[in-house]
Amino acid sequence: MDYGICNLSIVPLRLEPTDVSEMVSQVLLGEHFKVLEIRNKWSKIRLSFDSYEGWIDNKQFLLIPEEDYKKLDSSPLFLSNDLINFAEDQKHLLSHVMIGSHLPFYKHNSFSIGQDIFSIEGDIFDGKKNKENIVTTALQFLNTPYLWGGKSPLGIDCSGLTQLVYKLNGYPLKRDAKDQAKQGDVLSFIEESEPGDLAFFDNEEGNIIHVGIMMADNYIIHAHGKVRIDRLDHLGIYNVDTKRHTHKLRVIKKII
């Protein structure tokens, strides 16, 4: 078994080992993973944080020893908590750091990836749980363009938004909406929900295809075209711009 870490700001994770394949997710700086299969140009990986699998370009990650992988798995999780920041290495070269990026072996405003040591300033999340801050965190992403497989302020999908927001408040979620829907406890009525709960939506076949974060007074923040705020009623999401329902409500769950 080989092990790796992302040493670039944001890297596409693809369904198949080719540049034209669907981007199913992204790998942020500092995220570590198991390398399940290595080919000439591509490797299949399984992320440590959520066990999500996909193919990554061999030029866009760094192999690390098993010992480092295990240390990272057992170390406290430090995340960049600024929408977009910069890290500087010993050669004074700058790297973009997206919100939610991992800062491996973080200590005293520095972190390391392989042999490189980076300095970073700004807001750092130290892993403490904070349910009350979920909606506030989500509001930072307002107007972020929708991007299938995205999980950054440059482009994000519905479950990328919920996973990242929960992660930045100390709670792990799976990557896809259908898997997030298997977590937590079902609420019987919208009126039972609290800000920060998750609402899930299905299609005509009954498959979960969308997720959003509940706000106060039956509002919801979700990624649909962009990260936006709409109304939620017993039928589903009511788009405040088009004056029509866009998603059919399946279930509301209290994850925390």
Side-chain angles (χ1 to χ4, degrees):
M1 178 72 69
D2 290 301
Y3 304 87
I5 193 168
C6 183
N7 58 342
L8 299 174
S9 60
I10 186 167
V11 170
L13 189 65
R14 300 196 180 277
L15 182 64
E16 301 292 343
T18 168
D19 283 315
V20 298
S21 177
E22 171 189 349
M23 185 178 77
V24 292
S25 190
Q26 293 174 320
V27 188
L28 299 181
L29 180 74
E31 288 196 86
H32 63 289
F33 44 82
K34 291 181 178 178
V35 181
L36 306 178
E37 180 182 349
I38 299 179
R39 296 188 182 178
N40 185 36
K41 297 181 179 180
W42 296 85
S43 291
K44 188 174 186 180
I45 68 169
R46 180 187 297 137
L47 289 167
S48 173
F49 180 77
D50 58 11
S51 298
Y52 206 72
E53 295 184 7
W55 292 87
I56 189 173
D57 189 315
N58 288 341
K59 301 183 296 296
Q60 296 185 317
F61 74 93
L62 181 71
L63 287 171
I64 59 173
E66 180 180 6
E67 179 183 3
D68 285 356
Y69 179 91
K70 291 181 176 179
K71 284 181 179 178
L72 289 169
D73 258 2
S74 60
S75 299
L77 185 62
F78 289 92
L79 306 172
S80 177
N81 206 20
D82 292 311
L83 277 177
I84 300 178
N85 201 346
F86 294 93
E88 184 178 354
D89 66 13
Q90 302 103 309
K91 299 176 182 177
H92 305 293
L93 297 176
L94 296 178
S95 294
H96 290 89
V97 182
M98 302 295 167
I99 189 170
S101 295
H102 293 206
L103 308 178
F105 309 115
Y106 176 81
K107 189 175 183 180
H108 303 314
N109 295 324
S110 70
F111 65 95
S112 61
I113 296 178
Q115 301 300 313
D116 292 320
I117 300 174
F118 298 85
S119 60
I120 188 169
E121 302 289 340
D123 188 14
I124 307 299
F125 174 68
D126 60 4
K128 292 180 181 177
K129 291 179 169 56
N130 188 0
K131 178 183 179 182
E132 290 70 27
N133 200 46
I134 287 177
V135 171
T136 301
T137 302
L139 289 173
Q140 295 183 81
F141 292 89
L142 272 178
N143 291 319
T144 296
Y146 181 90
L147 175 65
W148 180 269
K151 60 177 193 179
S152 88
L154 301 180
I156 203 162
D157 62 21
C158 65
S159 56
L161 174 67
T162 51
Q163 185 192 51
L164 189 52
V165 167
Y166 265 65
K167 181 181 182 180
L168 288 163
N169 287 282
Y171 300 96
L173 282 182
K174 294 296 185 180
R175 177 60 179 87
D176 291 339
K178 61 181 175 58
D179 297 317
Q180 293 176 7
K182 299 173 184 176
Q183 300 179 243
D185 300 314
V186 175
L187 300 179
S188 300
F189 306 100
I190 292 179
E191 292 75 18
E192 293 180 355
S193 68
E194 298 177 348
D197 292 339
L198 296 184
F200 295 92
F201 307 84
D202 60 9
N203 59 15
E204 294 179 354
E205 289 75 38
N207 299 317
I208 299 292
I209 58 168
H210 193 66
V211 60
I213 298 172
M214 294 294 297
M215 302 175 65
D217 303 320
N218 291 350
Y219 282 93
I220 185 170
I221 182 169
H222 65 126
H224 182 60
K226 63 180 180 179
V227 177
R228 54 180 294 124
I229 295 173
D230 286 307
R231 298 287 293 177
L232 182 72
D233 58 31
H234 293 285
L235 293 178
I237 294 178
Y238 183 77
N239 187 297
V240 297
D241 295 324
T242 63
K243 309 300 182 186
R244 65 182 181 89
H245 286 89
T246 58
H247 297 83
K248 181 167 67 73
L249 180 63
R250 170 71 172 272
V251 67
I252 299 176
K253 304 200 75 172
K254 186 174 295 296
I255 307 297
I256 300 168

